Amino acid sequence: MRLALLPTLILLALAPLAQAQTPAPATTAPAVDASKPLAVVNGKEIPALYGELVKREMAQGQPDSPQLDARVRESLINLELLSRAALDKGLDKNPQLAAALDIRRKDQLTKAYLEDYVKAHPVTDAEIQATYDKAKAGPVEPEYRARHILVKTEAEAKKIIADLGKKAKFEDLAKKYSQDPGSAKNGGALDWSNRGAFVKEFSDAMASLKKGETTKAPVKTQFGYHVIRLDETRQPQFPPLDAVRGEITRQLQQQRVRDAIAAARADAKIE
């Protein structure tokens, strides 16, 4: 879990102003002294820590460089000056702004609390193994390899079904008539997929077929009318634990978050 600590878009918007005002820095950035302020603006220090936090947000995959350090420093100076100007005008007393600031503060505190909770309740190897074993023992959704021909009207689909009844080849009709450019050139062939890869009307019709069988009536979906043939089904291989360990860990961490929220709500009086 990574905490989004600062309003990145505002900082990025202020940074170009700094580039125009600041001479090009040396090619080698000096080491940051955490005991010294990043800058002093009208007598107020900007701690070096602020620079490290802002750099994390502004970097966006950029390598550490003197140019980035300069952008961070100047954007924080601009932020200090403009926020001070807003306070001098009393803008912080505006109810909507005050509410927005309060929500942002609570949001950051909440993220920090949940990050701390997950860290204090680490996911164990035993939990990962138990979750994996439970999933492996459960039912596995079969995968299907099918072909389809997609046309615009029901009449077109019915004619294709009639032609198939006259021994026309499915693959040839798909190449000639199908409006699905991804599969038409391959004779209507679709990749191995489970039912979740298709819209419900299509998946229900496909799953009801036996191997080698074609739908007897057009199947209407949001895309048009389909004629579907089921070529094969298979039970997918369950992945090894190491291949899904990261995903299982993330799922269990998300459960930790839900546990923390549930615990907080359990002791609360909510009206």
Side-chain angles (χ1 to χ4, degrees), residues 1-2 111 114-115 117-119 121-124 127-128 131 245-263:
M1 244 183 261
R2 186 175 67 85
K111 290 176 182 177
L114 292 175
E115 185 179 61
Y117 186 93
V118 171
K119 185 177 179 180
H121 300 80
V123 174
T124 66
E127 287 179 288
I128 294 172
T131 302
R245 182 182 297 275
E247 181 181 347
I248 293 174
T249 300
R250 287 188 292 273
Q251 291 175 357
L252 291 171
Q253 286 175 337
Q254 286 301 312
Q255 183 58 53
R256 294 287 199 273
V257 170
R258 291 190 288 270
D259 291 344
I261 294 170

Side-chain angles (χ1 to χ4, degrees), residues 38-60:
L38 193 69
V40 180
V41 181
N42 293 330
K44 183 174 180 180
E45 294 185 352
I46 300 177
L49 175 61
Y50 286 22
E52 291 303 311
L53 296 176
V54 173
K55 184 188 293 187
R56 198 182 307 166
E57 293 301 310
M58 289 178 62
Q60 296 295 319

Side-chain angles (χ1 to χ4, degrees), residues 13-52:
L14 295 174
L17 299 175
Q19 288 181 310
Q21 299 165 0
T22 307
T27 55
T28 304
V32 175
D33 186 347
S35 66
K36 296 181 179 179
L38 193 69
V40 180
V41 181
N42 293 330
K44 183 174 180 180
E45 294 185 352
I46 300 177
L49 175 61
Y50 286 22
E52 291 303 311

Side-chain angles (χ1 to χ4, degrees), residues 19-260:
Q19 288 181 310
Q21 299 165 0
T22 307
T27 55
T28 304
V32 175
D33 186 347
S35 66
K36 296 181 179 179
L38 193 69
V40 180
V41 181
N42 293 330
K44 183 174 180 180
E45 294 185 352
I46 300 177
L49 175 61
Y50 286 22
E52 291 303 311
L53 296 176
V54 173
K55 184 188 293 187
R56 198 182 307 166
E57 293 301 310
M58 289 178 62
Q60 296 295 319
Q62 298 180 49
D64 198 356
S65 68
Q67 290 81 5
L68 179 59
D69 288 340
R71 291 180 68 205
V72 168
R73 181 179 185 276
E74 296 304 319
S75 62
L76 276 170
I77 291 170
N78 291 337
L79 200 63
E80 173 62 31
L81 290 169
L82 295 174
S83 62
R84 182 69 258 173
L87 291 171
D88 291 343
K89 289 194 70 173
L91 297 182
D92 58 316
K93 303 300 190 293
N94 178 285
Q96 289 187 331
L97 178 58
L101 292 172
D102 188 46
I103 288 173
R104 175 173 287 278
R105 175 178 174 274
K106 289 176 180 176
D107 178 62
Q108 300 307 319
L109 287 170
T110 295
K111 290 176 182 177
Y113 176 78
L114 292 175
E115 185 179 61
D116 180 73
Y117 186 93
V118 171
K119 185 177 179 180
H121 300 80
V123 174
T124 66
D125 288 340
E127 287 179 288
I128 294 172
Q129 186 68 55
T131 302
Y132 175 82
D133 291 342
K134 182 178 179 180
K136 189 174 182 180
V140 179
E141 174 74 21
E143 292 180 335
Y144 301 83
R145 189 166 70 177
R147 294 177 184 269
H148 82 132
I149 301 171
L150 172 65
V151 291
K152 293 181 179 179
T153 68
E154 185 177 15
E156 290 175 284
K158 285 182 175 180
K159 183 180 184 305
I160 288 170
I161 292 172
D163 289 343
L164 289 170
K166 298 174 185 177
K167 307 303 181 182
K169 288 188 176 181
F170 194 102
E171 293 83 348
D172 293 341
L173 294 178
K175 290 177 182 178
K176 186 175 182 179
Y177 296 113
S178 183
Q179 300 297 303
D180 177 9
S183 66
K185 61 185 178 182
N186 298 319
L190 300 169
D191 292 333
W192 281 104
S193 302
N194 60 32
R195 292 182 60 172
F198 307 101
V199 295
K200 187 177 186 304
E201 300 89 345
F202 189 103
S203 66
D204 287 349
M206 177 185 66
S208 69
L209 297 173
K210 296 178 182 178
K211 181 179 177 179
E213 190 176 11
T214 302
T215 49
K216 301 295 190 297
V219 178
K220 183 180 180 182
T221 72
Q222 67 199 70
F223 305 107
Y225 292 84
H226 306 258
V227 180
I228 305 168
R229 188 181 82 191
L230 178 62
D231 287 347
E232 291 183 82
T233 62
R234 70 181 183 188
Q235 289 299 117
Q237 291 288 326
F238 203 82
L241 175 57
D242 285 345
V244 293
R245 182 182 297 275
E247 181 181 347
I248 293 174
T249 300
R250 287 188 292 273
Q251 291 175 357
L252 291 171
Q253 286 175 337
Q254 286 301 312
Q255 183 58 53
R256 294 287 199 273
V257 170
R258 291 190 288 270
D259 291 344

